[in-house]
Amino acid sequence: MTEPVEDQDNGHGTAVTPPAALDRRGFVKSAALAAVSPAALGTAAQAAPLAPSLQAAAAAAATAAAPGAAPGVAVTAVHGMVARLLAVPAPSRGTDWLRQALQVAVELELATVPPYLCAWWSVRDRSDTVATLIRGIVTDEMFHMGLACNMLVAVGGRPRIAAVSPDYPCPLPGGVRSELTVHLSGLTRAYVRDVLMAIETPESPLPEPSAGPPTIGDFYNGVVTAFLDHRPELSVRGQMGQRIGPDELRPMRTLDDVVAAVEIIKEQGEGTSDSPEAPTGDATGGHRDVAHYYAFAEIYHGRALQETDGLWEFSGPPVPFPDVHPMGVVPKGGWPHPPREAATLLRRFDTVYGELLRDLEAAWQSGDHGALNRAIRTMEQLEEPALALMEIPLGDGRHTYGPQFRPFFPGAGQPPPAAGGGTPPGRRP
């Protein structure tokens, strides 16, 4: 079944001019690349508290910035862990701050993978241009997660992964893009616009972190600035080295390595100030691809983005919207009362997904390369049950089931998934 076109005006040929003087956010603002604004789908997540020392520093800064205000008022008005971290004054952003921020980075990169996988798997022709494009983005996000894990280990932290898997639909971790709620669905133009593009939306011009919800780019700017200001000693013990798609994950040995890693994450997701192209993570060379945001915009518009006489416009070769499995939107708590076949596949998928998360965590918790190799092999096992689920119709006569990404951890004191539904709440190991 081919996904119906919700938006008839696809914007072919929309011209955009990137002035040389504009920074990243200025280019995005001038380009209006999607010709639509990603829909606001939700509200900010409840954020975990900062460490006491960091909370005190943020509260002091807020009080100084707003004389006469009650202590902490400005801080508590800023939703999300990322905004709270960015409210901490620069001199207080030391090693503890970096560890908290980089744990959020790990969770943020992990949260992007399931929606992208659902979009990729839902394309019926695995060799289709759109399927190949999304698969490359999934690989990039796994690479970005590896970079975040290595940065966290470099400053003495250990990533938590298994216990922080998102429960979709949900906001992005840390409160970035806090107006967005991410859900799982098959590929549609609306899903591209409202979820995939919204996740990757580049930096917006915020004069202060408290002026609005921070973007992923804002967050990583704060991380790299803290590294450069604080200059922590970096340890390679426990960091991973692994080829991930076209990119090479390497231990962070110097601050230059950290800066390069953050730039890769931002440029592969957003593009640069003068081009929507993004280099691969291997700085020695290799292929160049359009950054994630623009790649999703190409799918939405149905045309490749190309430069003609100094203008970037969606006037390149056609990018036909593919024939897709009409996977429905996974509801909160997972699919209710699935038939036996679907329930069996859901349990199988969620068990394998739990194994994947545990292996990823073990890799960086103890420097276990064997666990990382197991995780890579395990991830390949997710596709078969996912595709089988997309062949089972829902009761609405229009959509099918699909993976719900609710990890199950056998032997962790966790009850098995109910026969009539997905994994119950409280599934954490």
Side-chain angles (χ1 to χ4, degrees):
M1 177 182 295
T2 302
E3 181 271 330
V5 178
E6 294 98 336
D7 302 277
Q8 297 298 324
D9 180 7
N10 59 19
H12 296 175
T14 301
V16 293
T17 307
L22 291 180
D23 61 7
R24 230 180 273 269
R25 58 187 65 170
F27 170 63
V28 171
K29 183 176 181 181
S30 68
L33 286 167
V36 291
S37 297
L41 301 177
T43 56
Q46 292 295 321
L50 292 174
S53 60
L54 298 180
Q55 181 65 41
T63 302
V73 167
V75 176
T76 56
V78 179
H79 297 290
M81 184 63 161
V82 167
R84 292 170 186 265
L85 285 165
L86 294 179
V88 173
S92 299
R93 298 182 187 181
T95 301
D96 287 344
W97 187 94
L98 281 169
R99 289 172 182 166
Q100 290 197 54
L102 289 167
Q103 174 60 41
V104 174
V106 171
E107 296 175 28
L108 184 59
E109 300 299 343
L110 174 63
T112 68
V113 174
Y116 295 173
L117 281 174
C118 287
W120 172 41
W121 287 331
S122 70
V123 180
R124 293 181 187 272
D125 182 357
R126 317 305 294 136
S127 64
D128 184 272
T129 299
V130 169
T132 302
L133 186 154
I134 299 175
R135 179 182 182 181
I137 292 174
V138 171
T139 302
D140 286 347
E141 295 300 340
M142 293 301 297
F143 175 56
H144 298 173
M145 182 178 168
L147 292 173
C149 286
N150 271 359
M151 283 188 276
L152 178 53
V153 171
V155 293
R158 290 295 180 267
R160 290 179 292 108
I161 297 174
V164 297
S165 174
D167 187 7
Y168 301 96
C170 61
L172 286 171
V176 297
R177 303 289 300 152
S178 59
E179 75 281 11
L180 169 69
T181 293
V182 178
H183 63 269
L184 302 179
S185 167
L187 189 70
T188 68
R189 273 199 171 88
Y191 193 57
V192 174
R193 178 192 63 206
D194 296 342
V195 176
L196 308 185
M197 289 174 63
I199 289 172
E200 300 286 357
T201 297
E203 299 165 48
S204 56
L206 305 177
E208 298 292 340
S210 60
T215 67
I216 295 174
D218 294 323
F219 171 53
Y220 276 113
N221 284 341
V223 169
V224 76
T225 299
F227 267 107
L228 293 175
D229 288 348
H230 182 59
R231 308 187 73 80
E233 182 178 351
L234 305 181
S235 171
V236 299
R237 185 175 182 179
Q239 294 191 55
M240 294 286 106
Q242 179 72 42
R243 191 77 182 176
I244 303 178
D247 298 298
E248 186 73 31
L249 179 64
R250 298 172 180 149
M252 309 278 171
R253 301 179 183 277
T254 67
L255 288 178
D256 285 344
D257 293 337
V258 171
V259 172
V262 171
E263 285 303 301
I264 287 168
I265 292 172
K266 292 178 60 180
E267 291 179 9
Q268 286 187 342
E270 303 178 1
T272 67
S273 61
D274 59 0
S275 173
E277 293 182 317
T280 65
D282 188 346
T284 61
H287 75 279
R288 292 180 63 85
D289 290 315
V290 69
H292 301 172
Y293 180 79
Y294 308 100
F296 287 136
E298 289 181 335
I299 298 172
Y300 178 78
H301 287 295
R303 289 276 181 175
L305 185 66
Q306 69 176 12
E307 184 181 16
T308 305
D309 297 329
L311 298 178
W312 288 100
E313 55 188 9
F314 294 99
S315 60
V319 181
F321 202 91
D323 188 32
V324 298
H325 296 281
M327 173 185 164
V329 175
V330 179
K332 193 70 172 179
W335 298 111
H337 310 297
R340 182 175 298 277
E341 181 184 7
T344 299
L345 288 167
L346 288 168
R347 181 177 303 189
R348 176 181 163 195
F349 183 98
D350 291 343
T351 300
V352 173
Y353 186 51
E355 293 173 1
L356 167 65
L357 297 182
R358 277 185 160 174
D359 283 338
L360 286 173
E361 185 167 277
W364 274 279
Q365 286 279 346
S366 57
D368 186 350
H369 282 81
L372 182 58
N373 289 330
R374 286 197 305 274
I376 293 171
R377 293 193 298 271
T378 299
M379 187 169 183
E380 296 173 353
Q381 300 172 20
L382 293 174
E383 184 170 2
E384 182 184 350
L387 295 182
L389 283 163
M390 292 183 187
E391 296 289 348
I392 301 175
L394 287 171
D396 64 1
R398 296 178 53 203
H399 299 99
T400 69
Y401 284 91
Q404 55 190 7
F405 285 92
R406 294 175 62 78
F408 176 56
F409 304 96
Q414 173 184 12
T423 307
R427 66 192 187 286
R428 306 304 188 198

